[in-house]
Amino acid sequence: MKFSEEYFDEGLYRVGTRCEKWDACRQEHGESILPLWVADMDFPSPPAVQNALLRRAAHPTYGYTAVEPDDAGALCGFWRRRHGLTIAAEDVMMIPCVVTGIRLAILTLTQPGDGVIIQSPVYGPFRFSVEATGRRLCDAPLTHHADGRYEMDLDAVEAHLRSGARLMVLCSPHNPVGRVWSREELCALLALLGRYGAKLVCDEIHADFVYAPKAFTPILTLQQEGVISLCAASKTFNLAGLQQASLLCMEEEVRAKISREMERSGVRSGNIFALEATRAAYEEGDAWLDGLLSYLDGSRRLLRELVAAHLPKAVLSPMEGTYLAWLDGRAYAPTTAELMTKAHKAGVTFTGGDFFGQGGDGFLRVNIGCPRRYVEEGILRLAVALES
Ligand SMILES: Cc1ncc(COP(=O)(O)O)c(C=O)c1O
C-alpha cells in the first residue's frame, strides 16, 4: 500500500467509535463542531497494526498476558533505526501510559515536599503530576520571543536548583510550543542539572514528529546516569486508546525502585491488544510513518499560509516538531476563554492555552493531525470568529 498524500487526505470517519476527540466534543458543542483539540489523529493506524489486532482477536480468549522479550526488542530496533539510540531490551519497562511514567518517576526519584521543575507552558499533566504527588511545583517558564519562538530559561531553572529542586520533567520535543531542542540546548541543561545533582525525566512521546532541517536528539544518547526517558508508539501510530508506553532507564537500581513503586501503587502492564499493536507498529510501521511525516510537513506549511492570510494578527510559533501548533491569539482577545467562546460559536474547537499553565492564556493549541481540509476549514471558521 502507498501512504500517499491521497491516503492521508482521505482520513476516516470517527463519529460513533467512542472517540474522545469527536464524540465527546459533539456531545458538548453540537454535531457541527470541528474538533482540532486532543492529541490524536484522524488517520487510520498502519495496516500492520490492524492486521495484528484482528489476528489476535480471532483467537477467542483474552486471559492474562505475558510481556515477551520481543516486545522490548521491537522498541529497541525502532529507536536504533530511526533515532540512533542503542538500548538493551532489559533497559525497557512496560507501563500503561506516559503520564503513569511521569508519576512513577516523581514518586521514585523524589520525596514529598521536594521541588520538581517544569517549563510552562507545557502539557498540563506535568503540573498535575507534581501537585498530585505532594511535591513542590517549581516552574521555570520558557522565554517567549515576539516571533513566537521559545527558549529554555536556564537562569530560572538554576534558581530552582539552588533552592533545592531535585528533579526536572522535560518535554522533548515540546508540546505545545513545538520546539525540537538541539543537542547543544540539551547538553547545557544536563550540565546544569548535573552541577546540582538533580535528575531528569524526559517525555519523548513526540520524538517521531520532527521536520527537517531539525533533528531529534534522544536524551539517552547524551547521558544515561540520572536520566529516564518516557516514550510510546501511541502518538506516532495513533494507538492512544490501547494504553501502552515505555520507560527507558539504563540504571538497574533505578529500574528496581520503579518496579517496587509499580507494585506498591498497583500499576500493571500487559494489555494483550496493546502489546500486539505496539510491536507491529514498531516493526512494520516505517513506510506509513514516512508517508505521515511528509503529509504533516505539508500541513504545517499550509497552516502557516492560512494564518498569514486569514488571521494576520495572530502569531504562530515555529513548528519544528509535533503535530500541535501553538497560536498566540492575544491580538484578537486577551484570554483563552474569550477565544474559545468565539471559536465555539463559529463551530470549531481547540485545546485552550490555559491547560498548559503559566504563559498559556490567550493562546490556542491547534491539532493538525487530520486531513488538510479540516485544517483549512478550522482556520477559516476561527477567522470568521475573530476577524468579524
Ligand atoms: C507531552 C505528552 N506527554 C504525554 C501525553 C499522554 O501520553 P499517555 O496517553 O501515554 O499518558 C501526551 C498526550 O498528548 C503528551 O503530549
Side-chain angles (χ1 to χ4, degrees), residues 39 97-99 123 126 171 175 203 205-206 234-235 243 245 365:
C97 71
V98 164
V99 172
Y123 181 59
F126 280 32
C171 196
N175 168 20
D203 177 340
I205 197 169
H206 294 282
S234 59
K235 290 277 167 264
Q243 296 271 282
R365 192 192 69 177

Side-chain angles (χ1 to χ4, degrees), residues 14 24 41 59-61 77 103 121 180 244 277 295 297-298 329 337 340 350:
R14 301 182 66 189
M41 302 185 284
H59 186 268
T61 185
R103 300 254 172 133
V180 174
Q244 171 68 47
Y295 186 80
D297 194 16
M340 292 287 268
F350 307 95

